[in-house]
Amino acid sequence: MADEKLAKLREAVAGLGQISDNEKSGFISLVSRYLSGDEEHIEWPKIHTPTDEVVVPYDTLDAPPEDLQATKALLDKLAVLKLNGGLGTTMGCTGPKSVIEVRNGFTFLDLIVLQIESLNKKYGSNVPLLLMNSFNTHDDTLKIVEKYANSSIDIHTFNQSQYPRVVADEFLPWPSKGKTDKDGWYPPGHGDIFPSLMNSGKLDLLLSQGKEYVFIANSDNLGAIVDMKILNHLIQKQNEYCMEVTPKTLADVKGGTLISYEGRVQLLEIAQVPDAHVDEFKSIEKFKIFNTNNLWVNLKAIKRLVEADALKMEIIPNPKEVEGVKVLQLETAAGAAIRFFDHAIGMNVPRSRFLPVKATSDLQLVQSDLYTLVDGFVTRNSARTDPSNPSIELGPEFKKVGSFLGRFKSIPSIVELDSLKVSGDVWFGSGIVLKGKVTITAKPGVKLEIPDGKVIENKDINGVEDL
């Protein structure tokens, strides 16, 4: 039955003119692995907590060379790659998420370019920036990148694969059923980065320039900056792959974690966990770390493994309903590739290297006095003694960036805030200071305005009378 399904699908895919032969064979290979059901099942008793040799504590790393020339020599082996395929739709934006303004009028992309520029300027190095787009973000990104034409860094863009969504009940590609616009297709997750680097020609280009490592990170993670200690360590120890992990908090219980399994380091995602063990997986006691998706990977190793078709990452089936049609997307994650590389390690890094902006509540953190901006680097305010950030929950009125910005005359001071919960039609004046635990709830149909300069500490506010 599976063979018949695959044969029909293969025939339909062969007739799709919009994608390359590489994309067709990549897609068919993914589907045939999915249909064969030979996914490796994790045997729970075989899971071990990784040792410090496998997940190296960041504070045990040697200091990198202080000499400018030695640092330049290290940096000349590096390329930086940002995953730029995501749209800002969850935050009410139409284009690539990386062009949302983060701070002082700078977008994610502006900050990334500034960071690499200041690095290259300081050391006389030539670290290039690569942006992996999806077909959703490609055209917009090309326009945006034009503004850096006079910048001193080499910026390369390439696209990840474009795969057809599969109509679930017939198991045929949706574009061959007439859905030829963007909705008929999907980008197959960031695990696709390795074949896409190769197929685009960018991998061979980097190797020809003497590059040895690529530092991969999500474009919305403001903490993912080039770290000389990590780069130095990987080159010294010849680790082909390094995943940055950081201690879990209760907000991260669903994040993938690293385990030792049959002698290799492996990523364990919540989707692979048997139902009986999900609570154990979510506990902070047994699985103390999670994947930040900051990855350092050896370029020659990528070439070797892609050419051997050896990267058989776990498949993540993503069923969706689009325009009333049930479709299936098969995806993979870049972190899952860790088990195929030699001398792969995790690196237990400080939480400061994980500062993603997934929602407007994260935007409020990075726009506040909790952080400052220097040379494109977002640095945490040392006046805050608590190492963890305040927890912020904003109601649906704040979900879109436009309405979020409209509701704050200026972002409140939150250096001494523990938690903030806002619901209803709430508006903030300028110069407000929030401390301790603060809850602000506007009654239905009532507009609640917090006046300029107000200091609110450990209070539940349900109306003007509570201010």
Side-chain angles (χ1 to χ4, degrees), residues 122-429:
K122 185 173 175 183
Y123 297 105
S125 53
N126 180 20
V127 176
L129 170 64
L130 291 89
L131 300 171
M132 182 168 88
N133 300 316
S134 65
F135 60 87
N136 286 317
T137 59
H138 173 74
D139 294 347
D140 285 337
T141 303
L142 286 188
K143 287 192 200 99
I144 294 151
V145 168
E146 281 173 13
K147 77 174 191 185
Y148 310 118
N150 301 323
S151 123
S152 57
I153 56 173
D154 291 337
I155 300 179
H156 303 274
T157 60
F158 68 100
N159 270 19
Q160 71 178 109
S161 305
Q162 174 171 331
Y163 285 176
R165 284 176 162 154
V166 174
V167 179
D169 55 359
E170 299 172 72
F171 216 79
L172 284 170
W174 206 9
S176 69
K177 307 283 296 169
K179 188 70 181 160
T180 50
D181 65 6
K182 275 189 175 174
D183 281 341
W185 306 89
Y186 75 99
H190 46 61
D192 180 56
I193 187 165
F194 305 113
S196 295
L197 254 180
M198 179 93 163
N199 295 339
S200 64
K202 298 299 178 191
L203 183 60
D204 286 334
L205 176 70
L206 293 173
L207 287 167
S208 73
Q209 295 171 343
K211 305 297 175 199
E212 291 179 22
Y213 279 87
V214 60
F215 172 45
I216 302 166
N218 295 351
S219 62
D220 66 4
N221 179 6
L222 295 169
I225 56 178
V226 170
D227 186 296
M228 297 310 302
K229 269 171 85 167
I230 298 177
L231 180 61
N232 182 49
H233 182 86
L234 300 180
I235 289 173
Q236 297 299 323
K237 303 282 187 206
Q238 297 187 313
N239 300 110
E240 287 189 347
Y241 188 112
C242 169
M243 174 190 288
E244 293 184 37
V245 292
T246 198
K248 259 189 199 183
T249 67
L250 289 171
D252 317 300
V253 291
K254 291 182 178 167
T257 192
L258 284 182
I259 55 171
S260 287
Y261 191 80
E262 298 187 330
R264 290 185 88 82
V265 61
Q266 191 160 328
L267 181 68
L268 177 66
E269 296 275 15
I270 193 162
Q272 296 165 278
V273 177
D275 291 348
H277 296 282
V278 166
D279 287 344
E280 196 181 335
F281 176 82
K282 286 182 174 179
S283 94
I284 309 182
E285 311 308 309
K286 179 166 181 178
F287 299 104
K288 296 183 169 66
I289 51 173
F290 75 99
N291 170 21
T292 63
N293 218 34
N294 297 348
L295 311 169
W296 302 73
V297 194
N298 180 286
L299 292 163
K300 280 186 180 150
I302 295 176
K303 188 174 167 81
R304 179 187 82 232
L305 291 166
V306 172
E307 283 180 341
D309 194 22
L311 294 172
K312 311 272 192 219
M313 278 98 86
E314 287 76 13
I315 295 171
I316 306 158
N318 186 356
K320 292 194 169 207
E321 191 165 308
V322 184
E323 295 175 13
V325 178
K326 286 189 167 60
V327 294
L328 178 65
Q329 301 179 179
L330 302 178
E331 301 170 14
T332 60
I338 189 166
R339 62 194 177 96
F340 300 104
F341 288 83
D342 294 336
H343 312 298
I345 57 168
M347 180 83 63
N348 196 345
V349 299
R351 184 79 189 196
S352 58
R353 292 190 55 76
F354 184 65
L355 186 59
V357 179
K358 301 290 181 201
T360 49
S361 51
D362 302 322
L363 208 51
Q364 184 181 342
L365 284 174
V366 297
Q367 292 187 347
S368 73
D369 57 349
L370 203 53
Y371 290 93
T372 50
L373 187 62
V374 182
D375 289 339
F377 296 95
V378 177
T379 315
R380 204 159 181 271
N381 187 343
S382 56
R384 181 170 175 93
T385 46
D386 183 343
S388 64
N389 278 343
S391 85
I392 296 180
E393 277 181 63
L394 301 175
E397 295 79 4
F398 291 81
K399 188 177 179 189
K400 296 187 170 180
V401 175
S403 40
F404 161 80
L405 293 172
R407 286 175 179 272
F408 288 99
K409 258 199 215 167
S410 72
I411 299 290
S413 163
I414 58 171
V415 175
E416 294 177 55
L417 179 71
D418 296 324
S419 66
L420 170 67
K421 195 168 183 177
V422 182
S423 40
D425 187 13
V426 180
W427 298 75
F428 291 82

Side-chain angles (χ1 to χ4, degrees), residues 69-86:
Q69 278 311 104
T71 305
K72 175 187 184 303
L74 283 177
L75 283 171
D76 281 338
K77 296 178 177 178
L78 182 70
V80 172
L81 192 157
K82 298 287 178 172
L83 302 169
N84 192 49

